[in-house]
Amino acid sequence: MQINLPEVHAEVSAAFARYEDALVHNRVEVLDELFWTSAHTVRYGVAENLYGIDAIRAFRQARSPVGLARRLQGTVITTYGRDFATAMTEFRREGGTKLGRQSQTWVRQPEGWRVVAAHVSLIDPTT
């Protein structure tokens, strides 16, 4: 297996950056586009467990667009071959006291890179 092929890593990095921009600017249509349109898609959030694209879309539609800005740190994107990747990052919200963690599993679909599973959590930082 080839890890982090430069062209594949660049593709996933671009998709990840597009996702982040859509997230902080509440571009729901882009967020929906970047998640796999499937009942098998899973997103575990800070306070919700979402199974299937319909539940994920409903969450996105209902979420407040206020306070979405954040600063990323420690982002690690790893590609495995040409069609599978993971993206892990930490984040901090302005004025927040918690450290956020986000993990995404990306799979190349016929229409492009899509998140097939995601997890977001908050912890109290130790430092």
Side-chain angles (χ1 to χ4, degrees):
M1 169 140 334
Q2 296 177 301
I3 305 297
N4 288 339
L5 290 165
E7 66 277 13
V8 178
H9 193 273
E11 291 172 6
V12 176
S13 295
F16 178 82
R18 186 168 178 240
Y19 178 91
E20 183 64 21
D21 178 73
L23 182 70
V24 300
H25 293 100
N26 201 39
R27 294 188 178 106
V28 175
E29 68 284 351
V30 176
L31 296 172
D32 286 349
E33 173 193 329
L34 291 174
F35 266 73
W36 184 32
T37 304
S38 173
H40 301 291
T41 306
V42 176
R43 181 188 176 275
Y44 292 152
V46 172
E48 67 283 335
N49 295 331
L50 305 172
Y51 298 94
I53 192 62
D54 291 338
I56 295 167
R57 285 179 174 155
F59 169 79
R60 294 270 189 230
Q61 291 293 330
R63 186 178 65 166
S64 170
V66 177
L68 298 177
R70 63 190 196 164
R71 186 178 71 256
L72 300 184
Q73 62 188 49
T75 302
V76 177
I77 296 172
T78 307
T79 65
Y80 306 86
R82 297 192 168 277
D83 300 319
F84 184 84
T86 57
M88 310 295 175
T89 195
E90 297 174 346
F91 64 88
R92 291 188 183 268
R93 298 219 183 263
E94 187 68 34
T97 60
K98 302 273 186 176
L99 175 66
R101 301 175 298 174
Q102 173 182 297
S103 58
Q104 297 171 328
T105 304
W106 291 80
V107 175
R108 184 191 303 273
Q109 302 289 332
E111 61 276 10
W113 287 97
R114 298 297 183 262
V115 175
V116 299
H119 182 222
V120 179
S121 59
L122 299 173
I123 60 172
D124 289 315
T126 57
T127 57

